[in-house]
Coordinates of all heavy atoms in Angstrom, one line a residue:
V143 N 65.9 8.6 -19.8 CA 64.5 8.9 -19.7 C 64.0 9.6 -18.4 O 62.8 10.0 -18.3 CB 63.6 7.7 -20.0 CG1 63.8 7.2 -21.4 CG2 64.0 6.6 -19.0
G144 N 64.9 9.7 -17.4 CA 64.6 10.4 -16.2 C 63.4 9.8 -15.4 O 63.2 8.6 -15.5
T145 N 62.8 10.6 -14.6 CA 61.8 10.2 -13.6 C 60.6 11.1 -13.7 O 60.6 12.2 -14.3 CB 62.3 10.2 -12.2 OG1 62.8 11.6 -11.9 CG2 63.5 9.2 -12.0
R146 N 59.5 10.6 -13.0 CA 58.3 11.5 -12.8 C 57.9 11.4 -11.4 O 58.3 10.5 -10.7 CB 57.2 11.0 -13.8 CG 56.7 9.6 -13.4 CD 55.6 9.1 -14.4 NE 55.2 7.8 -14.0 CZ 55.8 6.7 -14.3 NH1 56.9 6.8 -15.0 NH2 55.4 5.5 -13.9
P147 N 57.1 12.4 -10.9 CA 56.7 12.3 -9.5 C 56.0 11.0 -9.1 O 55.2 10.5 -9.9 CB 55.8 13.5 -9.3 CG 56.1 14.4 -10.5 CD 56.6 13.5 -11.6
H148 N 56.3 10.5 -8.0 CA 55.6 9.3 -7.5 C 54.2 9.7 -7.0 O 54.0 10.7 -6.3 CB 56.4 8.8 -6.3 CG 55.8 7.6 -5.6 ND1 55.4 6.5 -6.2 CD2 55.5 7.4 -4.2 CE1 54.8 5.7 -5.3 NE2 54.9 6.2 -4.1
R149 N 53.2 9.1 -7.6 CA 51.8 9.5 -7.3 C 51.0 8.3 -6.8 O 50.4 7.6 -7.6 CB 51.1 10.0 -8.6 CG 51.7 11.4 -9.0 CD 51.2 11.8 -10.4 NE 49.8 11.9 -10.6 CZ 49.1 13.1 -10.6 NH1 49.8 14.2 -10.5 NH2 47.8 13.1 -10.8
P150 N 51.0 8.1 -5.5 CA 50.2 6.9 -5.0 C 48.8 7.1 -5.3 O 48.2 8.2 -5.3 CB 50.4 7.1 -3.4 CG 51.5 8.0 -3.2 CD 51.6 8.9 -4.4
I184 N 63.3 18.2 -3.0 CA 62.3 19.0 -3.7 C 61.3 19.6 -2.7 O 60.9 20.7 -2.8 CB 61.6 18.0 -4.7 CG1 62.6 17.6 -5.8 CG2 60.3 18.7 -5.3 CD1 62.0 16.6 -6.7
P204 N 57.8 11.6 7.4 CA 57.6 10.5 8.3 C 58.8 10.1 9.2 O 58.7 9.6 10.2 CB 57.3 9.3 7.3 CG 57.6 9.8 6.0 CD 57.6 11.3 6.0
Y264 N 52.5 17.3 -2.7 CA 52.9 15.9 -2.3 C 54.3 15.7 -3.1 O 54.3 15.6 -4.3 CB 51.9 14.9 -2.8 CG 52.2 13.5 -2.3 CD1 51.7 13.0 -1.1 CD2 53.0 12.6 -3.1 CE1 52.1 11.8 -0.6 CE2 53.3 11.4 -2.6 CZ 52.8 10.9 -1.4 OH 53.2 9.7 -0.9
A265 N 55.3 15.6 -2.3 CA 56.7 15.5 -2.9 C 57.4 14.4 -2.2 O 58.5 14.6 -1.6 CB 57.4 16.8 -2.7
A266 N 56.9 13.2 -2.3 CA 57.5 12.0 -1.6 C 58.0 11.1 -2.7 O 57.4 10.0 -2.9 CB 56.5 11.4 -0.7
G267 N 59.1 11.4 -3.3 CA 59.8 10.5 -4.2 C 59.4 10.6 -5.7 O 58.4 11.2 -6.1
R268 N 60.3 9.9 -6.5 CA 60.1 9.9 -7.9 C 60.3 8.5 -8.5 O 61.0 7.7 -7.8 CB 61.0 10.9 -8.6 CG 60.8 12.4 -8.2 CD 61.7 13.4 -8.9 NE 61.5 13.5 -10.3 CZ 60.6 14.3 -10.9 NH1 59.8 15.1 -10.2 NH2 60.6 14.3 -12.2
T269 N 59.7 8.2 -9.6 CA 59.8 6.9 -10.2 C 60.4 7.0 -11.7 O 60.0 7.9 -12.4 CB 58.4 6.3 -10.4 OG1 57.7 6.5 -9.2 CG2 58.4 4.9 -10.8
G270 N 61.2 6.0 -12.0 CA 61.9 6.0 -13.3 C 60.8 5.8 -14.5 O 59.9 5.0 -14.3
N271 N 61.1 6.5 -15.6 CA 60.1 6.4 -16.7 C 60.5 5.2 -17.6 O 60.8 5.3 -18.8 CB 60.3 7.7 -17.6 CG 59.6 8.9 -17.0 OD1 58.6 8.8 -16.4 ND2 60.3 10.0 -17.1
V272 N 60.4 4.0 -17.1 CA 60.8 2.8 -17.8 C 59.6 2.0 -18.3 O 59.8 1.0 -19.1 CB 61.8 2.0 -17.0 CG1 63.1 2.7 -16.7 CG2 61.1 1.5 -15.7
A273 N 58.4 2.3 -17.8 CA 57.3 1.3 -18.0 C 57.1 1.0 -19.5 O 56.8 -0.2 -19.8 CB 56.1 1.9 -17.4
L277 N 62.0 -2.6 -22.1 CA 63.3 -3.1 -21.6 C 63.5 -4.6 -21.7 O 64.6 -5.1 -21.9 CB 63.5 -2.6 -20.1 CG 63.7 -1.1 -19.8 CD1 63.9 -0.9 -18.4 CD2 64.9 -0.6 -20.6
E283 N 66.8 -5.0 -16.7 CA 65.7 -5.0 -15.6 C 65.8 -3.7 -14.9 O 66.9 -3.1 -14.7 CB 66.0 -6.1 -14.7 CG 65.5 -7.4 -15.2 CD 65.7 -8.6 -14.2 OE1 65.8 -8.3 -13.0 OE2 65.7 -9.7 -14.7
A284 N 64.6 -3.2 -14.4 CA 64.6 -2.0 -13.5 C 64.0 -2.5 -12.2 O 63.3 -3.5 -12.1 CB 63.7 -1.0 -14.1
D285 N 64.4 -1.7 -11.1 CA 63.9 -2.1 -9.8 C 62.5 -1.6 -9.6 O 61.9 -1.0 -10.5 CB 64.9 -1.7 -8.7 CG 64.9 -0.2 -8.5 OD1 64.1 0.5 -9.1 OD2 65.9 0.3 -7.8
G286 N 61.9 -1.7 -8.3 CA 60.6 -1.3 -8.1 C 60.3 0.1 -8.3 O 59.1 0.5 -8.5
R287 N 61.3 1.0 -8.2 CA 61.2 2.4 -8.4 C 61.6 2.8 -9.8 O 61.8 4.0 -10.1 CB 62.0 3.2 -7.4 CG 61.3 3.4 -6.0 CD 60.5 4.6 -6.0 NE 59.6 4.7 -4.9 CZ 59.4 5.9 -4.2 NH1 60.0 7.0 -4.6 NH2 58.6 5.9 -3.2
G288 N 61.7 1.8 -10.7 CA 62.0 2.1 -12.1 C 63.4 2.5 -12.3 O 63.7 3.3 -13.3
R289 N 64.3 2.1 -11.5 CA 65.8 2.5 -11.6 C 66.5 1.4 -12.3 O 66.3 0.2 -12.0 CB 66.4 2.8 -10.3 CG 66.0 4.2 -9.8 CD 66.5 4.3 -8.4 NE 65.9 3.3 -7.5 CZ 65.6 3.5 -6.3 NH1 65.7 4.7 -5.7 NH2 65.1 2.5 -5.5
I290 N 67.4 1.8 -13.2 CA 68.2 0.8 -14.0 C 69.6 0.7 -13.4 O 70.2 1.8 -13.1 CB 68.3 1.2 -15.5 CG1 66.9 1.2 -16.1 CG2 69.3 0.3 -16.2 CD1 66.8 1.7 -17.5
K291 N 70.1 -0.5 -13.2 CA 71.5 -0.7 -12.7 C 72.5 -0.5 -13.8 O 72.3 -1.1 -14.9 CB 71.6 -2.1 -12.0 CG 72.5 -2.1 -10.9 CD 72.4 -3.4 -10.1 CE 73.7 -3.6 -9.4 NZ 74.0 -5.0 -9.1
D309 N 68.7 10.5 -13.9 CA 67.9 10.1 -12.8 C 67.4 8.7 -12.8 O 67.1 8.1 -11.8 CB 66.6 11.0 -12.7 CG 67.0 12.4 -12.1 OD1 68.2 12.7 -12.0 OD2 66.1 13.2 -11.8
V310 N 67.4 8.1 -14.1 CA 66.9 6.8 -14.2 C 67.8 5.7 -13.5 O 67.5 4.6 -13.3 CB 66.6 6.4 -15.7 CG1 67.8 6.2 -16.4 CG2 65.6 5.2 -15.8
I311 N 69.1 6.2 -13.2 CA 70.0 5.2 -12.5 C 70.0 5.5 -11.0 O 70.8 4.9 -10.3 CB 71.4 5.2 -13.2 CG1 72.1 6.5 -13.0 CG2 71.3 4.8 -14.6 CD1 73.6 6.4 -13.3
G312 N 69.3 6.5 -10.6 CA 69.2 6.7 -9.1 C 70.2 7.8 -8.6 O 70.6 8.6 -9.4
F313 N 70.5 7.7 -7.3 CA 71.3 8.7 -6.6 C 72.5 9.1 -7.4 O 73.1 8.1 -8.0 CB 71.7 8.2 -5.2 CG 72.4 9.2 -4.4 CD1 71.6 10.2 -3.6 CD2 73.8 9.3 -4.3 CE1 72.2 11.1 -2.9 CE2 74.4 10.3 -3.5 CZ 73.6 11.2 -2.8
S315 N 70.9 11.8 -8.6 CA 69.7 12.4 -9.3 C 69.8 13.9 -9.3 O 68.9 14.6 -8.8 CB 68.4 12.0 -8.6 OG 68.2 10.6 -8.7

Side-chain angles (χ1 to χ4, degrees):
V143 293
T145 55
R146 62 180 182 281
H148 175 53
R149 288 169 61 104
I184 295 171
Y264 188 89
R268 298 181 64 89
T269 311
N271 287 320
V272 294
L277 290 181
E283 281 182 21
D285 68 13
R287 277 270 171 141
R289 283 171 302 216
I290 296 174
K291 210 166 155 207
D309 283 11
V310 77
I311 64 166
F313 188 82
S315 296

